[in-house]
Amino acid sequence: MNKHSMEDLVSLCKRRGFIFQSNEIYGGLQGLYDYGPLGVELKNNLKKAWWKSMIYERDDIEGLDTSILTNPLVLKYSGHEETFSDPLVDCRECNSRWRADHITDNKCPGCGSLDLTEPRPFNLMFKTNVGPVDDGESFAYLRPETAQNIFTNFKNVLDSTPHSLPFGIAQIGKAFRNEITPRNFIFRVREFEQMELEFFVKPGEDDDWHEKWTEIRIKWWEDQGISRENIELYHVPGEELAHYSKATVDIMYKYPHGLEELEGIANRTDFDLGSHTKNQEDLDIKASVKENKRSNAKLAIQDLESKNWVVPYVIEPSAGVDRGVLAILNEAYRVESLEGGKERTVLGLKPHISPIKIAVIPLKRNDENIVAKSIELKSQLQKTIPGRVLLENTGNIGKSYRKHDEVGTPACITVDFQTIDDNTVTVRDRDTMEQKRVNLEEVSTFLTNNYFI
Ligand code: ATP
């Protein structure tokens, strides 16, 4: 299927303003990327689609937006201080550092030397100083996952928006990991975004919900334009499970660099709520961290019938926004042969993901009537089209079509001399390249019906 390479995607992203290397004019900073004018639209569209499916289309999930700086105690009791690490090895020959599980045949991937140190744990959390005094005590972590502040807000959410089990809390936001070897463009970076749902269920119903959420999430990725044949499920074996997980299913995607994790769906049991709860003796908690003296919370829910306090189990679908963007770009990218030995590059994005929804193109850039009509049409369409409508006044129709094919704009509208006479415009479809004459009064409905329902 995918005959293009990661380089093709990187090049398109830079050329057309999707993704740039961060801090590039100072030589960059490894593992960081910036989203450009089109990238930010695409990324926002993906996040919007997730939010809509989680919060608006259901009534059992609430949203949150919590702080990035995190009290170290949260990450102590969550187990991250102790266990959130990757095995690190040093190459004694070239002094490079690698993740031990990324090394094959005991060879340094940099210089090929066999002189490597034994693996040792390397904690992936970033620390930063808080307040004016740098005494080594007043520090915070940049959160390594958005999940923890969902758990610490469990009671706040429940007190303010009552729910009974099952129900969920969802959040989209930045997470930070000091990855040993960031690589493969935006696939493995040090600052990224996650879309995380913590779905709280009755203990005993967790396995069923785990299966249900796995299916829901695969279907959702398909709705964003990922083909099922490029997805595989990986049932994470016991020895690879994160410290909080009873079972994890990874949704793996065939990226240009290989089959890798797009989203992880974990059964975190009562580990986190249990760990952050005071007086655990009152509760039937199976969590392995049991001496929490600091939190003053009881992160439990009262069963309406039995009146017993229950610490829910939690199913966590955790998706990477950046890995989602990369998968979607990879799916959408295609090069088509045209007549006369020509080619065109097309991003076949679903319209709700496309960074630019509609481009309005005046046939002649200096013709006052045509340009005025185009400006009027752009602002009129902007009121109804769900996303950015762009006035593309380059005066070169062919070039504009090529550009909008390449950035995935579903349709272009050309305003020409005939428009001034009879109030019709040409609507050109990205995928079929077909052109239709549509009356200006009907163009908004035409676009909505064909692209945005
Ligand atoms: P990996 O094994 O690839 O390092 P992980 O299992 O540590 O990933 P999780 O802790 O399950 O990842 O995080 C949930 C999601 O967050 C992942 O499925 C991925 O989409 C995203 N994610 C995690 N680490 C990164 C990263 N360094 N860069 C970009 N996205 C990431």
Side-chain angles (χ1 to χ4, degrees):
M1 42 104 356
N2 293 313
K3 294 205 186 63
H4 53 273
S5 63
M6 188 75 101
E7 285 66 40
D8 294 325
L9 299 181
V10 174
S11 151
L12 174 86
C13 283
K14 164 116 202 208
R15 196 169 66 245
R16 292 301 188 187
F18 283 90
I19 298 164
F20 309 124
Q21 190 192 3
S22 198
N23 302 275
E24 193 179 8
I25 61 167
Y26 286 104
L29 192 53
Q30 220 198 346
L32 301 180
Y33 287 91
D34 294 336
Y35 284 77
L38 297 197
V40 64
E41 294 290 338
L42 192 154
K43 191 179 179 195
N44 282 344
N45 291 338
L46 184 66
K47 292 192 282 183
K48 255 189 260 166
W50 187 89
W51 197 258
K52 182 163 158 263
S53 77
M54 290 292 175
I55 316 280
Y56 300 166
E57 289 172 2
R58 309 177 60 110
D59 284 314
D60 56 357
I61 299 179
E62 304 290 344
L64 267 192
D65 182 13
T66 72
S67 72
I68 286 170
L69 293 178
T70 307
N71 185 326
L73 288 172
V74 171
L75 292 154
K76 172 180 168 159
Y77 287 109
S78 70
H80 284 79
E81 270 195 341
E82 204 168 315
T83 56
F84 195 65
S85 52
D86 277 336
L88 172 82
V89 294
D90 290 272
C91 171
R92 293 197 186 91
E93 189 70 34
C94 69
N95 295 325
S96 60
R97 293 184 146 179
W98 305 94
R99 241 174 87 164
D101 53 336
H102 286 169
I103 288 201
T104 34
D105 302 333
N106 290 323
K107 237 190 219 163
C108 168
C111 70
S113 162
L114 297 173
D115 193 6
L116 304 176
T117 60
E118 283 301 307
R120 63 181 191 282
F122 173 76
N123 196 295
L124 299 178
M125 290 197 292
F126 282 101
K127 255 184 189 177
T128 190
N129 198 48
V130 173
V133 186
D134 187 2
D135 58 3
E137 298 278 310
S138 25
F139 69 94
Y141 289 112
L142 303 193
R143 65 186 180 199
E145 57 175 16
T146 75
Q148 286 309 319
N149 275 348
I150 294 184
F151 298 127
T152 59
N153 275 294
F154 177 79
K155 194 168 169 340
N156 289 334
V157 172
L158 211 49
D159 287 349
S160 52
T161 54
H163 282 278
S164 50
L165 295 177
F167 80 98
I169 306 177
Q171 168 161 239
I172 300 177
K174 290 256 174 158
F176 301 80
R177 297 183 187 178
N178 196 5
E179 296 280 354
I180 296 167
T181 38
R183 57 183 174 177
N184 295 319
F185 194 30
I186 52 170
F187 177 82
R188 184 173 303 287
V189 282
R190 293 188 167 132
E191 173 176 343
F192 54 98
E193 273 190 280
Q194 292 182 314
M195 305 183 282
E196 293 198 303
L197 165 67
E198 306 303 322
F199 196 75
F200 302 101
V201 303
K202 283 190 185 154
E205 294 181 2
D206 49 316
D207 293 338
D208 280 353
W209 275 108
H210 198 186
E211 265 176 47
K212 257 186 226 166
W213 273 110
T214 306
E215 276 162 33
I216 296 172
R217 296 302 305 147
I218 294 172
K219 166 81 177 46
W220 185 83
W221 281 114
E222 285 182 89
D223 291 345
Q224 312 319 308
I226 304 289
S227 43
R228 185 65 183 80
E229 70 205 31
N230 288 333
I231 285 179
E232 274 180 33
L233 291 185
Y234 177 63
H235 293 264
V236 178
E239 68 277 10
E240 282 178 27
L241 287 174
H243 62 277
Y244 49 72
S245 172
K246 167 181 158 186
T248 296
V249 181
D250 287 342
I251 299 181
M252 310 288 281
Y253 175 74
K254 287 182 193 150
Y255 287 98
H257 65 278
L259 184 69
E260 291 233 46
E261 177 179 335
L262 166 64
E263 168 163 351
I265 304 160
N267 181 344
R268 293 180 81 129
T269 69
D270 59 2
F271 180 86
D272 301 273
L273 291 183
S275 304
H276 294 305
T277 289
K278 191 186 160 195
N279 296 332
Q280 296 170 331
E281 309 74 51
D282 302 354
L283 301 163
D284 176 26
I285 294 172
K286 284 162 213 73
S288 45
V289 181
K290 284 230 171 197
E291 331 104 21
N292 182 356
K293 299 279 183 279
R294 314 260 187 153
S295 138
N296 54 15
K298 180 174 181 175
L299 303 180
I301 186 168
Q302 202 168 18
D303 188 87
L304 293 179
E305 282 157 26
S306 68
K307 301 288 177 218
N308 289 337
W309 284 92
V310 180
V311 181
Y313 269 39
V314 65
I315 304 301
E316 176 196 69
S318 171
V321 177
D322 312 80
R323 289 188 188 181
V325 168
L326 185 58
I328 283 172
L329 287 173
N330 183 54
E331 287 281 333
Y333 186 98
R334 62 175 193 263
V335 178
E336 285 178 7
S337 307
L338 301 174
E339 278 171 23
K342 288 191 181 146
E343 282 187 338
R344 70 166 187 152
T345 303
V346 187
L347 270 192
L349 297 168
K350 297 238 181 183
H352 74 280
I353 295 290
S354 294
I356 297 169
K357 305 300 179 196
I358 300 292
V360 178
I361 311 172
L363 182 72
K364 277 199 95 178
R365 65 182 305 192
N366 307 324
D367 186 291
E368 268 178 37
N369 290 336
I370 290 181
V371 172
K373 258 280 184 263
S374 305
I375 293 172
E376 194 187 319
L377 178 61
K378 181 235 139 105
S379 54
Q380 189 197 332
L381 288 177
Q382 194 63 80
K383 293 185 186 132
T384 50
I385 299 297
R388 185 169 184 196
V389 178
L390 182 77
L391 180 78
E392 187 68 75
N393 195 7
T394 57
N396 185 332
I397 294 287
K399 220 170 155 189
S400 298
Y401 284 163
R402 269 199 303 285
K403 166 185 164 180
H404 284 283
D405 286 344
E406 214 180 14
V407 303
T409 309
C412 291
I413 301 180
T414 304
V415 177
D416 54 20
F417 293 106
Q418 198 184 328
T419 313
I420 311 299
D421 289 342
D422 69 0
N423 247 10
T424 60
V425 286
T426 302
V427 179
R428 175 196 181 263
D429 182 84
R430 173 195 71 204
D431 295 326
T432 63
M433 292 189 281
E434 260 176 43
Q435 305 196 8
K436 278 205 178 88
R437 216 61 211 179
V438 180
N439 197 293
L440 270 180
E441 270 145 40
E442 286 152 20
V443 74
S444 168
T445 316
F446 177 88
L447 295 172
T448 303
N449 290 345
N450 282 282
Y451 300 101
F452 303 110
I453 283 188

